[in-house]
Amino acid sequence: MVAINPCVDLLRDGAAGVVLMRNAPLNALKHELREGIARALDELREDGDVRVVVLAGNERAFSAGADITEFGKPPRAPALRDLIAAVEDFPRPVVAAIRGVAMGGGLELALGCHWRVAWDGARLALPEIKLGLLPGAGGTQRLPRLIGFRAAIEAILSGDPIPLALARDAGLLDAVLSGPYPAAAIDWALGLDPKTRRRTRERDEKLAEARADPALVDRIAAPLIKKATNPRAAKTCVAAIRHAATATFDGAMAAERQSFLDLVATDESKAQRHAFFAEREARKVPGLPRETAARPVRRAAVIGAGTMGGGIAMCFANAGIPVAVIETDGEALARGIARIAANYETSVKRGSLPADESVRRQGLIAGGTDLAAAAEADFVIEAVFEEMALKKQVFGQLDRIARPGAVLATNTSYLDVNEIAGATSRPGEVLGTHFFSPANVMRLLEIVRGSRTAPDALATAVELATLLGKVPVVVGVCDGFVGNRMLARRSAQGERLLLEGALPQDIDAAMTGFGFRMGPFATGDLAGLDVGWRARKARGIKAPIADALCEQGRFGQKAEKGFYAYGADGRTPVPDPEVERLIVETSARLGVARRAIGAEEIVERLVYPMINEGARILAEGIAARSSDIDVIWLHGYGWPVTRGGPMFHADLVGLGRIAVRLETFAAASGDESLRPAPLLAGLAKSGAGFASLGAQAAA
Ligand code: 3H9
């Protein structure tokens, strides 16, 4: 074995040359790796004893694709597509041995090989669209040549892994191997007849269908484009794929490259790449050394079998962790367990969960009415009503019951975790977990670090969150934490806009135009308006219009009326003249003159005060970094990924402009809280953005 460079080893095994990619963890195809592969091929080309070449990766990955951190930097040779051309033109058979991930440029590299073999569990995908891109190293040309247009369009427009069986049947994989890696691939390669070696670019049998039927590609793609998160990227992918049928290979490759460069430069792709890295950064908690060992979580307990408690229990069961669900009385428990069963049944009916798996998961959930059932748990989550006195009482009891070393979490959306921890003799074991409803579906988990939370208790919560399939973000203690504290700013402005002249449908349309799937009022109706009403009452906050609706029992979809009326299906919001009357009357009663308000002003009025609050949150150290705030909004509040999150959006707009607009809003309304926060004003003055702030430990 020789090291070609730090990223590539070359091994000669009889008549096989084995090129081993060694850029841990996932063989992202950074410059050094590309160069190493090219040099290894050069050496093998000169070696007459080598009959076949095997290209192999590490335990986790063949390759996760181009190194995303290199995008936007000056290109360095060899470019990935040139490297792939060199592989394809190699005069002897080259076989890709795929274990783990082969994604994006990694799969494109494999497509340039003459044969591909994979191990069970391999994940083959062209996920570029999830980054607002198109496969830019020949994927749009070689994939349809191997698996045909339908499967290629579906794979490229979804970005999801291609099922292995399909990959094998359709001709993407030549074999699925078992046995030692990559030895089994070497044996397999040595059995090949070199005369059957074909360059993928020359395989055009599967292009015939679209050549004969020019409308085929668009017919297949049209419904997928409609659903696309980033329609521009989706349309660009389709245009590139269409070239496979209409242009020469070289012409299509040149067009693909230009489209890739165009997309890399778009704000949407920048936002999607930011979101990718932000999510991964959030797992690195400042002030928590990486080596801090998490405690094992073998059993869990959830106190409270309401909607939230039940959803949280499902998260544990779905991850294979036995969980006790504890209620105060049998009736409430039975209701909770029935709700869990109904949720599982829905998944089975929808076909997203096999029936036996649903039974297995429900078998992991044990209901009980005695808090003593929490005694064995390694992780306890209290999910009773949002009431400080009640929560403190539960924690006092848990303190006596829970085993030493158990992490005790309170599921709360705004209460003081330090005060709750103070009800126990072990505040180091206490932290907050803010799940989002429905807890078994929503991916965000705000983990609230108390002032005395022990590092390993925190590490346990972060690791557990990942195990439960959640995106964890550690935040500090304050009213509403990060997400709801910013949301409160938006809600207040929403009310204000209604009073000044907008209607719910105007505001919702402006926000869906911005990229949200649903506007704030339709979302409020879906979630139930009574939740916010109760929270406002508890804190002495008034929202004249929302309060009036709730006083009339207009709690949203569940009452078939809220900010909207609901159509026959009970789910389609329809503007309601009664609501309009109520709004206009409220404006008149409060002496607020109504005027027409445009979509741009609506978006700015809703979003900039949130960003301003985000700046205060950063200044107080409640969030460790601006990208953590973005992750919270992306995964907990439906912020459109093509807009990267509120703080990313702010940097893009420019903090100078936002500061000016906030001053205007403050002057017009007399609301001093709308003045730019000192951090925002300071950054605006220096021309910097939130991204320029480093990470700090969340307080
Ligand atoms: C492309 O290929 C373009 C081409 O068509 C054309 C080019 C001309 N680059 O996610 P994890 C890092 S576009 C750089 O925690 P997992 C990641 O940031 C690319 N870094 O592991 C993390 O770093 P850290 C198309 C990357 O097991 C570490 O690796 N490919 C890349 O949960 C571990 O990652 C994709 O879009 C990369 N390509 O998930 C695939 N990939 O430890 C993107 C990963 O410092 N990657 N890193 O935080 C993924 O979706 C997931 O990483 C994967 C593994 C599913 C593969």
Side-chain angles (χ1 to χ4, degrees):
M1 175 124 63
V2 258
I4 297 284
N5 70 15
C7 289
V8 175
D9 287 341
L10 177 57
L11 172 79
R12 283 191 177 73
D13 185 342
V18 186
V19 181
L20 291 166
M21 295 185 272
R22 295 241 178 273
N23 180 26
L26 295 170
N27 285 325
L29 284 153
K30 66 175 181 180
H31 167 251
E32 219 172 4
L33 177 54
R34 298 193 305 272
E35 190 198 35
I37 299 170
R39 276 176 40 204
L41 289 177
D42 289 343
E43 283 202 17
L44 292 170
R45 203 176 286 112
E46 300 304 316
D47 186 340
D49 294 336
V50 168
R51 277 200 291 120
V52 293
V53 174
V54 173
L55 184 56
N58 63 29
E59 194 142 313
R60 282 176 69 186
F62 178 76
S63 164
D67 184 336
I68 306 166
T69 62
E70 282 183 352
F71 293 166
K73 294 185 185 156
R76 294 178 72 187
L80 183 55
R81 70 196 164 281
D82 295 336
L83 173 67
I84 295 171
V87 169
E88 198 173 44
D89 289 340
F90 197 80
R92 280 157 273 161
V94 183
V95 176
I98 302 170
R99 183 174 58 170
V101 165
M103 288 188 175
L107 182 58
E108 290 173 298
L109 177 60
L111 297 178
C113 295
H114 308 116
W115 283 274
R116 285 150 298 278
V117 296
W119 267 249
D120 253 340
R123 282 193 288 165
L124 316 174
L126 290 178
E128 285 85 345
I129 192 144
K130 297 186 181 178
L131 301 173
L133 299 171
L134 88 169
T140 64
Q141 302 308 305
R142 292 193 179 90
L143 193 62
R145 281 174 164 78
L146 287 173
I147 65 175
F149 281 99
R150 176 168 294 281
I153 292 169
E154 284 169 1
I156 291 171
L157 289 200
S158 72
D160 291 338
I162 303 167
L164 275 198
L166 171 73
R168 197 182 39 208
D169 296 347
L172 172 55
L173 290 177
D174 300 290
V176 175
L177 302 181
S178 51
Y181 182 87
I186 299 171
D187 288 346
W188 189 89
L190 287 169
L192 289 168
D193 174 1
K195 287 201 287 296
T196 59
R197 170 188 156 280
R198 286 183 75 193
R199 298 194 301 171
T200 308
R201 57 181 290 169
E202 283 155 2
R203 298 169 65 150
D204 56 6
E205 313 82 87
K206 294 198 173 161
L207 303 184
E209 200 189 354
R211 284 183 173 155
D213 175 5
L216 178 77
V217 169
D218 291 309
R219 255 199 332 272
I220 299 171
L224 301 172
I225 290 177
K226 256 196 209 145
K227 285 195 293 190
T229 302
N230 180 339
R232 174 168 18 187
K235 285 179 195 153
T236 310
C237 285
V238 175
I241 298 169
R242 208 185 290 118
H243 286 145
T246 58
T248 62
F249 182 82
D250 290 336
M253 286 293 284
E256 181 196 80
R257 171 167 167 64
Q258 189 52 52
S259 297
F260 183 83
L261 293 175
D262 293 346
L263 285 179
V264 164
T266 59
D267 287 342
E268 292 94 329
S269 173
K270 285 181 192 155
Q272 288 178 270
R273 273 139 50 201
H274 165 76
F276 175 83
F277 285 116
E279 195 181 306
R280 280 152 184 86
E281 274 304 290
R283 277 188 243 143
K284 298 165 200 154
V285 183
L288 183 68
R290 262 197 157 185
E291 58 280 6
T292 310
R295 304 172 195 166
V297 178
R298 295 188 192 91
R299 311 193 141 266
V302 177
I303 321 293
T307 313
M308 206 30 121
I312 297 171
M314 288 175 73
C315 294
F316 281 107
N318 294 348
I321 301 171
V323 55
V325 182
I326 304 161
E327 254 300 346
T328 40
D329 65 85
E331 220 171 278
L333 179 66
R335 264 199 313 273
I337 298 285
R339 195 177 307 115
I340 292 173
N343 284 342
Y344 276 119
E345 202 180 309
T346 307
S347 303
V348 172
K349 275 200 189 129
R350 232 192 280 124
S352 57
L353 188 71
D356 56 344
E357 182 56 21
S358 154
V359 172
R360 196 187 68 79
R361 292 184 189 184
Q362 288 180 68
L364 291 170
I365 301 174
T369 50
D370 185 351
L371 207 57
E376 292 304 310
D378 303 305
F379 206 102
V380 183
I381 299 183
E382 159 279 306
V384 302
F385 284 125
E386 275 295 68
E387 247 179 60
M388 181 54 90
L390 179 61
K391 289 199 182 252
K392 281 164 82 171
Q393 184 202 333
V394 171
F395 270 77
Q397 286 170 288
L398 274 177
D399 192 25
R400 290 189 289 281
I401 289 167
R403 63 166 202 73
V407 176
L408 309 180
T410 172
N411 184 63
T412 172
S413 35
Y414 61 90
L415 292 177
D416 183 343
V417 172
N418 291 329
E419 190 177 339
I420 296 170
T424 71
S425 63
R426 38 174 144 174
E429 315 295 34
V430 178
L431 45 79
T433 50
H434 179 200
F435 281 84
F436 287 70
S437 192
N440 53 316
V441 177
M442 295 294 285
R443 291 196 66 217
L444 177 65
L445 183 64
E446 277 186 328
I447 297 176
V448 190
R449 177 187 209 161
S451 57
R452 288 181 285 178
T453 304
D456 64 335
L458 187 63
T460 306
V462 173
E463 189 164 311
L464 175 69
T466 309
L467 211 70
L468 301 187
K470 301 293 172 199
V471 178
V473 182
V474 173
V475 300
V477 176
C478 71
D479 189 35
F481 314 120
V482 172
N484 281 349
R485 183 168 154 182
M486 288 167 72
L487 181 67
R489 294 285 174 188
R490 188 179 82 176
S491 304
Q493 288 303 307
E495 270 281 331
R496 198 61 221 165
L497 284 164
L498 292 179
L499 286 174
E500 288 177 20
L503 292 174
Q505 53 271 30
D506 304 327
I507 295 175
D508 281 355
M511 292 306 268
T512 51
F514 180 76
F516 279 84
R517 291 239 171 232
M518 266 177 128
F521 293 110
T523 308
D525 274 1
L526 179 65
L529 301 179
D530 49 328
V531 184
W533 186 40
R534 243 184 282 121
R536 282 195 300 278
K537 277 208 273 198
R539 297 136 115 207
I541 299 170
K542 294 226 175 311
I545 294 164
D547 292 348
L549 290 176
C550 287
E551 274 150 25
Q552 296 176 12
R554 299 188 69 121
F555 291 150
Q557 276 194 27
K558 61 184 165 193
E560 289 171 15
K561 50 189 182 171
F563 279 102
Y564 293 94
Y566 283 86
D569 61 1
R571 295 216 314 252
T572 310
V574 182
D576 187 341
E578 253 183 58
V579 174
E580 180 170 349
R581 200 172 320 120
L582 182 140
I583 292 172
V584 172
E585 276 169 17
T586 312
S587 301
R589 180 165 49 83
L590 298 178
V592 184
R594 294 183 68 78
R595 64 184 170 92
I597 305 176
E600 190 185 356
E601 181 183 340
I602 289 175
V603 171
E604 290 187 338
R605 291 270 302 272
L606 292 182
V607 170
Y608 293 174
M610 274 172 52
I611 292 167
N612 206 23
E613 194 63 28
R616 292 190 189 103
I617 283 169
L618 281 175
E620 291 166 28
I622 296 298
R625 19 173 129 71
S626 61
S627 61
D628 284 2
I629 298 180
D630 289 337
V631 174
I632 287 171
W633 273 81
L634 287 165
H635 290 289
Y637 299 86
W639 185 278
V641 67
T642 48
R643 298 267 189 187
M647 309 312 268
F648 177 87
H649 177 68
D651 282 356
L652 210 60
V653 171
L655 299 189
R657 175 182 164 83
I658 293 178
V660 170
R661 295 298 287 148
L662 284 168
E663 290 289 6
T664 314
F665 302 156
S669 65
D671 179 352
E672 286 304 305
S673 74
L674 291 173
R675 298 254 177 240
L679 177 67
L680 191 149
L683 287 170
K685 211 166 180 186
S686 64
F690 290 119
S692 67
L693 304 167
Q696 57 184 337

